[in-house]
């Protein structure tokens, strides 16, 4: 066969194909226009098919002439599974396989000379049939690593599909945040449901899922308001949303690539052929691929993911949120531009410019990195507030070392984890610190997504967005610090603190309690939280606390009271206070309570009371003891008196004989004495008298000290008393040849007191003066000054040494003991004088100069007689 | 020695008037009883002795003495009781009783006088003045009140 012949043969074949194609197009167009009369544009466009057919023909001629061998295989029958997923693939009401994927397959089959046998089946049954070899090819299979284990896929995706949110028109949905608290209808147990749930949870939003049995039902719910929005794949959504009266939202997620799949290892020729055709068509904007796509969609451009991320679609196997979606979610104010973006019609440059527009208004930037020639990831594109956030220009940033170099040193590990995820073909979202050019720390939230080479199964790039969240972080840090402080107080304060939720019908439940509450009550947290107070507090206190709680709410103020509660840990005396908390709607939702433990105070009070009683008891006992002691002391005094009386008697009785008989002998009553007898008996008499004097003084001082003496209180003549005392000592004066002068002032006369005791003092002082004076004189003076009687007895004797003054008035101290034997006396005289004077409320003292003499003075208060 | 002369004067008076005056000495100490008896007999008094209160009262009833010298601290019955007993007896009511005692405690003198004694002589006695002291009580045979002789 000559080359020319061959070409002619091929051309006739192609011409037949064109006719066939035109016919098919018309059929589809007719039906499409019937069902979607609004899509006039699509109907008009379909008329262009024949023009494309010629182009294809030309291409096919080349292909066929190069690979002539394949023409032989063209006669084979290919069994194709068909399930219901309008408008991609479905059986129409006439039992014909139809839809975007079917049309493309028909096109390929026509060129390859395959005979297509369509096998209707449920989705899962279709896949089972594919595995079981009952069908050869299954359209509309999204690539996933799992499926890659079971099936073979051609390389160039036939389409990219994603999930998109379509909303009721009353909703303003510009981002995922607008769905917070809303109700969204979604196909039950579908991959969309799983991904969407993860998606909203990841952002911390609460969205109610309304599961439906079909996409139509989901759209119905959104349309009639039972749901606020519905989720559908973009093919279904874009094809039907207007007919349901819904609006498209920019929320797009779960981008997958769609393929025709075969069972593993079987029919690789089919896949190869499909790749061959698709590869040619997608490069050519006017190819049959795009015309078919347009026919089955609202608008062709809506089916193109923006070219800037086109390479992602080509390689990614992930179920990821596209960067567009993320940015939109972050910034609802860019809605208008987002619309442009979603509808962007494909030119790379245009799209990039649009991204810049989006990003420049926001505090975030977008980026992409690609594997460079060295196999390393390198930043190759940024857009948006990059310079604002980093402080670098793109070139400076690269020169500085890029992303990694600008990270906060403490957060490198976070980035390492992110990279690990990305290398496992998983998205990474993290909050991380970066350093600006001027070395300021900026908190950013990074949304990074892998660009995955599904064939080589490796990461070939990353794209994503970076948002400045410094302000939020700072606010969070401040709030967290504040919360930590509050929680520290709550957890460590020794007082019990609790929060009660107020429910209808006087029901109060523990919403929160601090550790002190658990420590005091001995209960575990789970025994308290969520429990009614009746289940927690001792029964005895129920009525009281409920009445107090109600009072606090009624009077809207803090109520305090004291309470005794018996817990397993013991009895608690508490000072309780509750305060009502009112919400914005004016409803009392909580009561805040505290209990100050006053058990110790009460115990201390109890102890004090007991101690008081004990003390009182002890006072009673002590009083009794003292009474007994007093009785004993009185008995002892009586004994002492008896003893002194006995001593006095017993000592005087023998002295009576001694002095008496000596006196008789000296008187010569018995007979005349010779001179020596007389002398010695005089000595006996002197000694006996001295002994008597001693006994008298000892008894005297004993009596004074024992309280066994009384002072007389009667008028007497002081002048006469002095004179009498002088008379008593006169013999001694005469004997020593001293002069004695008495100077008694005229006022001195009758006074009231104890005459005998005053006389005793006078004789004692005069006797002492005489005793210690060898020559010179003894003077006695008496006068009245103010209300005191002053009596002085002065001598010119040996005087008293200064160091001996102190001991002078103490008992048994006769000064200068060396001369004691020369001076007769008991050593008790001055001691007795002092005691007597003081008993009479007077004073006695001495002035003296050693070797020159002494002067004793005593005073007595005067009580004048009434004359 | 002027004092001694004075005593002689008194004794002279006494002798002249009533040489036969009877004195009862109630004293438990033998030596002191002898001392008093000796002094008084030397001066011509008739002296009777009793060793205790009981015996003294019995003897007093018997002899009806002109004067009783009474020790206070006596066995069986003390001087106070003896004095009170004698004061209740009609016959002996006016016989002067002079306490001769070594008691020297507060209130002793008052107690003695309250018991019915007319005088109080503290031991130890002074032989030189003793007779003169008791003479006073003999002279005031009919007591008109209490009178004390001070031993000073």
């Amino acid at each position: 066969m000559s080359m020319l012949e061959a070409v002619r043969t091929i051309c006739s074949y192609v011409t037949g194909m064109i006719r066939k194609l035109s016919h098919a197009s018309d059929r589809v167009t007719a039906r499409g226009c019937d069902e979607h009369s609004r899509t006039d544009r699509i109907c008009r466009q379909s008329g262009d098919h024949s023009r494309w057919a010629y182009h294809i023909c030309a291409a096919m001629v080349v292909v066929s002439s190069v690979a002539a061998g394949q023409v032989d295989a063209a006669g084979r029958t290919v069994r194709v599974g068909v399930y219901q997923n309008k408008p991609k693939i479905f059986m129409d009401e006439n039992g014909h396989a139809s839809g975007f994927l079917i049309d493309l397959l028909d096109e390929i089959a026509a060129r390859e000379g395959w005979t297509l046998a369509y096998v209707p089946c449920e989705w899962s049954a279709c896949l089972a049939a594919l595995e079981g070899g009952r069908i050869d090819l299954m359209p509309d299979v999204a690539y996933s690593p799992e499926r890659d284990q079971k099936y073979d896929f051609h390389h160039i995706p036939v389409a990219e599909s994603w999930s998109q949110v379509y909303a009721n028109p009353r909703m303003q949905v510009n981002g995922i945040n607008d769905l917070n608290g809303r109700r969204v209808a979604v196909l039950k147990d579908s991959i969309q449901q799983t991904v969407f749930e993860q998606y909203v949870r990841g952002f911390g939003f609460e969205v109610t899922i309304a599961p439906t049995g079909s996409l139509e039902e989901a759209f119905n719910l959104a349309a009639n308001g039972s749901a606020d929005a519905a989720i559908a794949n973009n093919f279904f959504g874009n094809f039907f949303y207007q007919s349901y009266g819904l609006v498209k939202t920019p929320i797009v997620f779960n981008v997958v690539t769609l393929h025709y799949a075969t069972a593993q290892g079987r029919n690789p020729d089919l896949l190869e052929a499909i790749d061959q055709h698709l590869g040619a068509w997608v490069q050519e904007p006017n190819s049959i691929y795009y015309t078919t796509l347009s026919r089955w969609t609202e608008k062709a451009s809506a089916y193109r993911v923006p070219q800037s991320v086109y390479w992602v679609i080509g390689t990614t196997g992930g179920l990821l949120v596209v960067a567009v979606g993320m940015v939109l979610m972050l910034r609802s104010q860019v809605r208008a531009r987002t619309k442009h973006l979603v509808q962007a019609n494909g030119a790379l440059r245009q799209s990039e410019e649009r991204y810049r527009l989006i990003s420049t208004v926001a505090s975030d930037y977008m980026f992409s990195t690609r594997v460079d020639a060295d196999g390393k990831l390198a930043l190759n594109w940024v857009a948006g507030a990059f310079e604002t956030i980093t402080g670098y220009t793109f070139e400076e940033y690269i020169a500085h070392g890029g992303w990694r170099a600008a990270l906060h040193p403490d957060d490198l590990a976070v980035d390492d984890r992110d990279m690990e995820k990305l290398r496992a073909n998983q998205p990474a979202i993290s909050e991380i610190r970066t350093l600006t050019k001027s070395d300021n720390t900026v908190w950013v939230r990074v949304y990074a997504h892998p660009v995955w080479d599904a064939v080589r199964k490796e990461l070939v790039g990353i794209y994503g967005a970076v948002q400045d969240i410094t302000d939020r972080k700072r606010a969070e840090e401040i709030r967290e610090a504040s919360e930590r402080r509050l929680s520290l107080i709550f957890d460590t304060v020794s007082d019990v603190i609790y929060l009660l939720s107020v429910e209808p019908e006087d029901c109060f439940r523990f919403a929160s309690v601090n550790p002190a509450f658990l420590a005091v009550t001995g209960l575990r947290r789970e025994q308290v939280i969520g429990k009614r107070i009746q289940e927690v507090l001792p029964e005895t206190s129920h009525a009281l606390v409920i009445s107090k709680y109600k009072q606090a709410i009624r009077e809207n103020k803090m109520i305090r009271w004291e309470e005794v509660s018996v817990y397993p840990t013991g009895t608690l005396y508490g000072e309780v206070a509750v305060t009502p908390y009112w919400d914005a709607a004016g409803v009392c939702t909580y009561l805040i309570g505290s209990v100050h433990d006053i058990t110790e105070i009460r115990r201390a009070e109890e102890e004090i009371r007991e101690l008081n009683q004990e003390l009182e008891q002890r006072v009673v006992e002590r009083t009794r003891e003292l009474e007994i002691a007093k009785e004993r002391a009185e008995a002892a005094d009586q004994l002492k008196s008896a003893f002194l009386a006995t001593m006095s008697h017993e000592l005087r009785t023998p002295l009576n004989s001694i002095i008496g008989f000596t006196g008789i002998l000296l008187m010569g009553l018995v007979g005349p004495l010779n001179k020596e007898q007389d002398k010695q008996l005089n000595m006996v008499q002197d000694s006996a008298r001295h002994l008597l004097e001693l006994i008298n003084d000892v008894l005297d001082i004993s009596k004074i000290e024992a309280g066994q003496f009384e002072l007389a209180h009667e008028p007497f003549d002081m002048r006469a008393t002095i004179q009498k005392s002088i008379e008593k000592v006169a013999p001694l004066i005469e004997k020593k040849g001293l002069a004695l002068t008495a100077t008694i002032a005229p006022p001195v006369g009758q006074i009231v007191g104890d005459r005998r005791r005053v006389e005793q003092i006078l004789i004692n002082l005069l006797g002492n003066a005489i005793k210690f004076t060898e020559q010179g004189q003894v003077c006695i003076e008496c006068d009245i000054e103010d209300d005191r009687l002053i009596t002085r007895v002065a001598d010119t004797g040996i005087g008293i040494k200064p160091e001996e003054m102190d001991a002078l008035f103490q008992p048994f101290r006769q000064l200068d003991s060396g001369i004691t034997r020369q001076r007769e006396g008991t050593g008790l005289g001055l001691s007795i004088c002092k005691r007597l004077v003081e008993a009479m409320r007077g004073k006695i003292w001495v002035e003296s100069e050693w070797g020159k003499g002494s002067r004793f003075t005593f005073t007595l208060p005067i009580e004048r007689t009434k004359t | 020695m002027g004092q001694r002369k004075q005593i002689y004067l008194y004794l002279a008076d006494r002798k002249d008037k009533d040489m036969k005056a009877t004195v009862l000495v109630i004293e438990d100490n033998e030596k002191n009883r002898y001392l008093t008896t000796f002094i008084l007999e030397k001066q011509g008094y008739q002296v009777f002795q009793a060793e205790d209160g009981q015996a003294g009262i019995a003897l007093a009833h018997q002899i009806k003495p002109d004067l009783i010298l009474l020790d206070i601290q006596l066995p069986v019955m003390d001087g106070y009781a003896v004095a009170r007993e004698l004061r209740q007896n009609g016959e002996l009511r006016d016989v002067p009783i002079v306490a001769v005692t070594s008691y020297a405690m507060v209130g002793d003198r008052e107690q003695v006088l309250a018991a019915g004694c007319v005088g109080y002589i503290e031991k130890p006695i002074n032989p030189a003045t003793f007779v003169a002291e008791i003479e006073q009580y003999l002279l005031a045979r009919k007591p008109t009140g209490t009178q004390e002789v001070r031993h000073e």
Side-chain angles (χ1 to χ4, degrees):
Chain A
M1 203 178 343
S2 70
M3 194 62 175
L4 190 68
E5 262 184 1
V7 169
R8 202 183 300 126
T9 306
I10 291 164
C11 279
S12 70
Y13 171 79
V14 167
T15 308
M17 282 299 295
I18 291 166
R19 271 200 297 276
K20 188 180 171 190
L21 263 174
S22 295
H23 180 74
S25 297
D26 291 343
R27 176 169 55 82
V28 168
T29 303
R31 187 201 57 209
C33 289
D34 286 344
E35 289 181 3
H36 308 285
S37 53
R38 72 195 180 284
T39 57
D40 298 339
R41 206 160 21 117
I42 297 175
C43 293
R44 278 197 305 277
Q45 282 179 347
S46 65
D48 297 336
H49 277 197
S50 54
R51 184 158 45 95
W52 298 125
Y54 290 106
H55 289 285
I56 293 165
C57 172
M60 286 304 287
V61 170
V62 177
V63 167
S64 299
S65 60
V66 173
Q70 286 192 358
V71 176
D72 297 333
R76 66 175 292 182
T77 299
V78 178
R79 294 165 297 174
V80 179
V82 181
Y83 79 115
Q84 294 299 108
N85 198 338
K86 206 173 177 180
K88 288 185 286 184
I89 177 170
F90 61 100
M91 295 298 282
D92 66 18
E93 55 270 32
N94 300 318
H96 297 293
S98 191
F100 167 62
L101 295 172
I102 296 298
D103 284 359
L104 280 183
L105 192 59
D106 279 343
E107 188 67 39
I108 293 166
R111 296 182 189 205
E112 294 291 329
W114 302 335
T115 303
L116 296 177
Y118 288 110
V119 181
C121 47
E122 292 295 312
W123 171 250
S124 51
C126 287
L127 291 180
L130 186 65
E131 279 175 70
R134 292 188 296 279
I135 58 173
D136 303 307
L137 191 69
M138 186 64 207
D140 198 26
V141 183
Y143 173 87
S144 77
E146 295 77 31
R147 284 174 178 167
D148 200 28
Q149 304 293 312
K150 294 181 190 168
Y151 315 114
D152 285 341
F153 295 86
H154 56 91
H155 290 155
I156 298 168
V158 66
E160 57 276 2
S161 172
W162 57 87
S163 298
Q164 192 157 2
V165 176
Y166 299 86
N168 187 291
R170 67 181 157 81
M171 291 280 297
Q172 279 279 324
V173 179
N174 298 318
I176 188 76
N177 50 315
D178 291 329
L179 291 179
N180 193 18
R182 299 298 181 170
R183 187 175 163 86
V184 177
V186 63
L187 192 62
K188 192 180 174 189
D189 296 333
S190 64
I191 193 127
Q192 288 104 305
Q193 184 183 346
T194 313
V195 173
F196 183 68
E197 281 175 350
Q198 287 173 357
Y199 188 37
V200 293
R201 252 202 311 275
F203 282 93
F205 296 139
E206 288 289 333
V207 175
T208 307
I209 300 293
T212 61
S214 67
L215 292 175
E216 287 85 350
E217 188 190 342
F219 268 30
N220 266 327
L221 292 182
N224 68 23
S226 302
D228 298 301
I231 293 168
N233 67 69
N234 53 316
F235 282 94
F236 178 88
N238 291 345
F239 199 72
F240 290 119
Y241 79 99
Q242 286 174 331
S243 63
Y244 283 88
L246 301 179
V247 293
K248 272 205 286 188
T249 75
I251 303 171
V252 166
F253 62 95
N254 194 28
V255 179
V256 294
T257 55
L258 300 180
H259 301 256
Y260 298 94
T262 65
Q264 204 164 38
R266 300 176 195 162
N267 308 311
D269 56 318
L270 298 180
L271 299 177
E272 202 178 320
I274 291 166
D275 263 340
Q276 228 168 13
H277 291 291
L278 285 175
W281 293 340
V282 297
Q283 298 298 326
E284 173 52 61
N286 297 321
S287 70
I288 187 163
Y289 173 82
Y290 291 109
T291 55
T292 309
L293 189 60
S294 302
R295 185 151 29 89
W296 287 102
T297 58
E298 172 209 33
K299 188 182 172 189
S301 60
Y303 280 80
R304 296 308 303 167
V305 167
Q307 285 294 314
S308 60
V309 291
Y310 182 74
W311 42 268
V312 175
I313 305 303
T315 52
T316 187
L319 25 93
L320 306 175
V321 180
V322 296
V324 180
M326 293 182 310
V327 171
L328 295 179
M329 283 176 287
L330 295 172
R331 290 288 168 254
S332 58
Q333 66 265 41
V334 298
R335 179 175 174 240
R337 288 186 179 108
T338 305
K339 203 171 171 185
H340 284 293
L341 175 69
V342 174
Q343 295 174 347
N345 77 357
L348 175 66
R349 190 169 295 161
Q350 264 184 318
S351 295
E352 284 191 357
E353 276 167 7
R354 281 174 182 155
Y355 275 112
R356 284 201 187 90
L357 284 172
I358 293 163
S359 295
T360 44
V361 301
S363 59
D364 36 49
Y365 67 87
M366 300 186 61
F367 69 91
S368 81
T369 61
R370 298 293 297 273
V371 175
D372 62 13
D374 301 333
K376 287 181 182 168
L377 284 166
L379 190 68
N380 68 343
W381 174 81
V382 293
F386 178 82
E387 287 183 23
T388 315
I389 293 171
T390 64
Y392 294 102
T393 63
F394 180 80
E395 291 73 21
E396 282 172 346
Y397 195 70
I398 298 296
H400 179 257
W403 169 254
R404 192 76 184 168
L407 280 182
H408 191 285
D410 294 348
D411 288 353
L412 290 173
V414 178
D415 190 54
D416 290 341
R417 281 196 294 277
D418 286 353
M419 281 310 298
E420 232 168 84
K421 282 185 180 174
L422 293 163
R423 287 188 203 287
N425 191 19
Q426 289 172 352
I429 301 176
S430 58
E431 291 182 357
I432 199 164
R433 281 168 291 179
T434 65
L435 300 173
T436 66
K437 188 180 176 185
S438 49
D439 223 29
N440 290 325
T441 300
V442 172
W443 271 101
V444 294
R445 185 171 170 90
V446 182
Y447 306 82
H449 296 272
V451 179
W452 190 248
D453 183 329
V455 179
R456 293 200 305 254
K457 294 183 173 54
E458 64 180 27
L459 187 73
V460 293
I462 302 167
Y463 71 99
V466 173
Q467 182 191 8
D468 184 347
I469 55 164
T470 307
D471 290 347
R472 196 198 81 202
K473 273 284 177 189
R474 295 228 169 102
E476 264 175 25
E477 278 165 9
I478 290 166
R479 198 185 66 235
E480 277 166 15
S482 162
E483 278 175 3
R484 267 198 304 278
R485 283 195 297 272
L486 283 175
S487 133
L488 187 70
I489 294 167
F490 187 70
D491 288 348
T492 57
V493 70
S494 67
D495 281 5
V496 165
I497 300 174
Y498 54 90
L499 191 65
L500 290 168
S501 67
V502 179
E503 294 171 16
E505 293 174 9
D506 299 340
C507 177
F508 302 95
R509 268 180 216 282
F510 283 97
S512 182
V513 299
N514 70 340
F517 183 101
L518 303 176
V520 166
T521 60
L523 297 170
R524 294 189 307 279
R525 193 167 285 279
E526 61 268 26
Q527 292 176 300
V528 180
I529 301 302
K531 298 281 191 290
R532 291 182 305 130
I533 53 159
Q534 287 89 339
E535 298 170 88
V536 177
L537 301 180
E539 194 179 343
T540 46
S541 58
H542 293 170
L544 173 70
V545 298
I546 290 175
S547 75
K548 295 290 185 185
Y549 294 165
K550 288 161 78 175
Q551 187 191 351
I553 296 168
R554 192 171 59 243
E555 297 176 12
N556 186 19
K557 66 173 188 187
M558 180 188 280
I559 300 294
R560 294 170 179 276
W561 71 94
E562 257 185 45
E563 201 178 298
V564 185
S565 311
V566 181
Y567 289 106
T569 48
T571 301
L572 171 74
Y573 291 83
E575 209 170 68
V576 188
V578 291
T579 311
Y581 169 79
W582 305 83
D583 68 9
V587 177
C588 179
T589 49
Y590 289 107
L591 282 172
I592 299 134
S594 68
V595 184
H596 181 57
D597 186 351
I598 54 168
T599 307
E600 286 306 314
I601 295 169
R602 286 287 169 272
R603 282 205 185 122
E605 284 172 359
E606 191 59 37
E607 267 172 34
I608 288 167
R609 227 183 342 267
E610 281 168 13
L611 275 174
N612 273 341
Q613 283 175 355
E614 203 181 303
L615 272 177
E616 276 167 23
Q617 183 59 35
R618 280 173 63 180
V619 166
V620 168
E621 282 169 13
R622 190 88 186 109
T623 307
R624 261 189 63 83
E625 282 170 15
L626 285 171
E627 276 166 7
I628 291 167
K630 191 186 163 205
E631 282 163 16
R632 278 184 190 152
E634 282 168 0
D637 276 352
Q638 284 170 1
L639 276 174
K640 208 185 284 177
S641 301
F643 173 78
L644 284 170
T646 306
M647 284 306 292
S648 173
H649 176 78
E650 297 301 331
L651 292 171
R652 282 165 198 256
T653 300
L655 266 178
N656 191 45
S657 294
I658 296 166
I659 291 168
F661 286 115
T662 311
I664 290 166
L665 289 171
L666 283 169
M667 283 162 71
L669 290 180
V670 179
L673 300 172
N674 66 31
K675 203 177 174 188
E676 187 57 31
Q677 284 170 328
D678 188 79
K679 182 184 174 187
Q680 289 184 11
L681 275 173
N682 265 308
M683 287 178 179
V684 172
Q685 193 177 49
D686 280 351
S687 295
R689 281 182 178 154
H690 185 219
L691 182 57
L692 178 64
E693 214 176 291
L694 201 57
I695 289 164
N696 284 341
D697 280 357
V698 168
L699 286 173
D700 230 7
I701 205 158
S702 299
K703 278 189 281 189
I704 292 167
E705 295 205 332
Q708 290 286 331
F709 94 117
E710 283 170 11
L711 286 170
H713 192 72
E714 54 197 19
F716 69 92
D717 187 348
M718 184 64 186
R719 184 177 294 267
T721 304
I722 292 169
Q723 280 166 353
K724 194 172 179 187
S725 302
I726 291 169
E727 277 170 30
K728 289 256 174 180
V729 300
L732 296 171
I733 291 284
E734 271 178 49
K735 197 175 168 187
K736 292 188 87 166
L738 302 172
L740 190 148
T741 58
T743 312
I744 299 167
V748 177
Q750 286 277 325
I751 61 167
V752 175
D754 190 323
R755 180 189 57 80
R756 291 181 65 222
R757 293 302 188 182
V758 172
E759 198 176 301
Q760 188 180 351
I761 294 163
L762 289 169
I763 290 169
N764 215 307
L765 294 179
L766 287 168
N768 269 348
I770 294 161
K771 201 186 295 174
F772 294 102
T773 304
E774 295 309 320
Q775 58 182 22
Q777 58 172 351
V778 173
C779 302
I780 181 164
E781 296 170 14
C782 190
D783 201 350
I784 288 174
E785 286 176 17
D786 300 326
D787 281 342
R788 292 185 309 168
L789 181 79
I790 297 182
T791 310
R792 295 188 180 90
V793 176
D795 64 55
T796 55
I798 56 172
I800 302 158
K801 290 176 185 167
E803 62 268 26
E804 291 173 331
M805 291 285 217
D806 286 347
L808 196 60
F809 291 99
Q810 290 175 13
F812 298 108
R813 294 293 182 103
Q814 194 175 54
L815 300 181
D816 193 6
S817 53
I819 58 167
T820 302
R821 287 187 180 84
Q822 297 170 25
R823 327 276 170 185
E824 289 207 337
T826 61
L828 291 170
L830 284 174
S831 178
I832 290 167
C833 285
K834 181 171 159 61
R835 281 167 169 75
L836 289 174
V837 168
E838 285 171 359
M840 290 187 274
R841 294 179 291 117
K843 283 181 181 171
I844 183 166
W845 68 93
V846 64
E847 297 145 283
S848 182
E849 198 174 336
W850 174 242
K852 291 202 173 169
S854 307
R855 185 170 73 166
F856 285 83
T857 306
F858 72 93
T859 65
L860 294 174
I862 291 175
E863 193 180 320
R864 289 173 189 277
T865 52
K866 294 158 194 157
T867 46
Chain B
M1 296 291 108
Q3 281 178 322
R4 197 176 289 171
K5 284 173 192 166
Q6 203 176 13
I7 291 168
Y8 281 120
L9 281 173
Y10 279 122
L11 287 174
D13 286 349
R14 180 67 193 162
K15 266 179 190 167
D16 293 342
K17 286 177 182 170
D18 186 8
M19 288 298 289
K20 302 277 184 196
T22 309
V23 177
L24 172 60
V25 176
I26 307 173
E27 163 70 80
D28 65 328
N29 184 285
E30 189 198 346
K31 297 179 189 77
N32 286 334
R33 201 163 64 233
Y34 180 79
L35 174 66
T36 311
T37 305
F38 183 87
I39 293 169
L40 290 174
E41 283 182 344
K42 270 287 175 192
Q43 299 302 322
Y45 289 96
Q46 191 177 2
V47 179
F48 293 87
Q49 302 174 17
E51 287 183 30
D52 62 60
Q54 205 80 58
I57 291 169
L59 194 56
H61 281 290
Q62 212 180 321
I63 61 168
K64 312 278 188 306
D66 297 313
L67 181 74
I68 298 170
L69 294 179
L70 177 64
D71 190 7
I72 295 300
Q73 194 166 53
L74 291 168
V76 186
M77 188 178 183
D78 72 13
Y80 301 122
V82 173
R84 280 193 290 271
E85 177 84 27
L86 292 174
R87 284 294 82 111
Q88 283 171 5
N89 186 294
E91 265 190 297
L92 300 172
R93 183 176 293 159
D94 297 332
V95 176
I97 305 170
V98 175
V100 182
T101 178
S102 54
Y103 269 27
M105 303 307 287
V106 170
D108 281 357
R109 193 203 323 268
E110 289 69 23
Q111 269 188 299
V112 164
L113 298 179
C117 298
V118 295
Y120 178 95
I121 297 171
E122 250 181 42
K123 285 181 185 171
I125 60 166
N126 185 345
T129 59
F130 183 68
V131 175
E133 282 173 36
I134 66 166
E135 284 284 311
Q136 299 174 56
Y137 303 112
L138 276 171
L139 292 173
R141 179 67 194 264
K142 301 226 188 282
T144 52
T146 58
Q147 188 181 355
E148 78 183 89
V149 172
R150 288 171 189 126
H151 174 74
E152 286 161 349

